[in-house]
Amino acid sequence: MERVQAIGDAAIEVIAESGMRGLTHRAVDRAAGLPAGSTSYYARTRAALLSLTFARILELDQVSSSSGGLAESIAAYVSEALGAGRARMLARYEFALEATRRPELREQYDSGGALIRRLATEALAAAGSADPARHAALVVDWMEGTIFGALAGASAAPSRESLLASAREILAGIGVG
């Protein structure tokens, strides 16, 4: 399992640095510091490598970096995505674009998005939301927009304090918090 995670992590870095066109088995072997052919052993085809990589992105997306309340968790996730998770997010956005052209990725991408929204819905339901699914869509869309804007350069990366204030305002606006 550690080798598969290392391959997934290296593939994320390759995609973040070189885009989808740069993702090759050899490039992942080099980035992971593995002997030639190692990635191919675990993911024989490009489709298998893409699937392994996206599964790793989803796994990393679900790791919580905060033990505080809901607003703190939201701010921590966005802050981490703009910092240590930057490569993961860039790779995820590359996958989003690639999924518009490849049905096999579309299914996996949509399934991953549904998982993230389900987790957000559950968290908001537990926090007392009157309409958890709709509120989850609002919160996740704010998070995605904030992350994309900062990574794409449309806006400056907000501070952790600013993220926390915004998360609290959003949660208060939907009657949670």
Side-chain angles (χ1 to χ4, degrees), residues 10-84:
I12 289 167
E13 293 294 330
V14 168
I15 293 169
E17 185 175 307
S18 304
M20 285 294 197
R21 289 186 182 264
L23 181 68
T24 65
H25 288 78
R26 286 184 191 160
V28 174
D29 285 341
R30 280 192 303 273
L34 296 172
S38 297
T39 297
S40 207
Y41 176 80
Y42 291 95
R44 298 290 308 154
T45 65
R46 180 172 175 80
L49 179 56
L50 289 169
S51 181
L52 180 153
T53 305
F54 193 72
R56 181 65 176 150
I57 289 170
L58 283 178
E59 181 182 341
L60 293 169
D61 273 349
Q62 295 176 64
V63 175
S64 175
S65 57
S66 174
S67 59
L70 187 54
E72 290 80 5
S73 293
I74 291 168
Y77 178 87
V78 175
S79 181
E80 188 275 337
L82 295 173

Side-chain angles (χ1 to χ4, degrees), residues 9-176:
D9 291 343
I12 289 167
E13 293 294 330
V14 168
I15 293 169
E17 185 175 307
S18 304
M20 285 294 197
R21 289 186 182 264
L23 181 68
T24 65
H25 288 78
R26 286 184 191 160
V28 174
D29 285 341
R30 280 192 303 273
L34 296 172
S38 297
T39 297
S40 207
Y41 176 80
Y42 291 95
R44 298 290 308 154
T45 65
R46 180 172 175 80
L49 179 56
L50 289 169
S51 181
L52 180 153
T53 305
F54 193 72
R56 181 65 176 150
I57 289 170
L58 283 178
E59 181 182 341
L60 293 169
D61 273 349
Q62 295 176 64
V63 175
S64 175
S65 57
S66 174
S67 59
L70 187 54
E72 290 80 5
S73 293
I74 291 168
Y77 178 87
V78 175
S79 181
E80 188 275 337
L82 295 173
R86 182 179 190 278
R88 179 183 83 247
M89 298 310 294
L90 289 171
R92 187 152 61 88
Y93 293 136
E94 290 278 349
F95 268 95
L97 294 173
E98 190 72 14
T100 66
R101 296 178 288 275
R102 297 180 64 149
E104 70 277 12
L105 287 181
R106 176 88 267 153
E107 184 178 324
Q108 189 175 15
Y109 188 82
D110 289 349
S111 175
L115 171 65
I116 298 302
R117 288 180 188 269
R118 181 179 55 77
L119 294 172
T121 299
E122 290 171 2
L124 286 163
S129 167
D131 192 349
R134 188 171 66 81
H135 292 157
L138 292 169
V139 171
V140 170
D141 288 349
W142 170 78
M143 293 167 66
E144 289 289 334
T146 300
I147 294 166
F148 184 82
L151 291 180
S155 58
S159 68
R160 179 80 174 251
E161 294 77 26
S162 175
L163 290 169
L164 182 56
S166 294
R168 286 180 175 149
E169 289 170 8
I170 289 167
L171 292 175
I174 61 175
V176 175

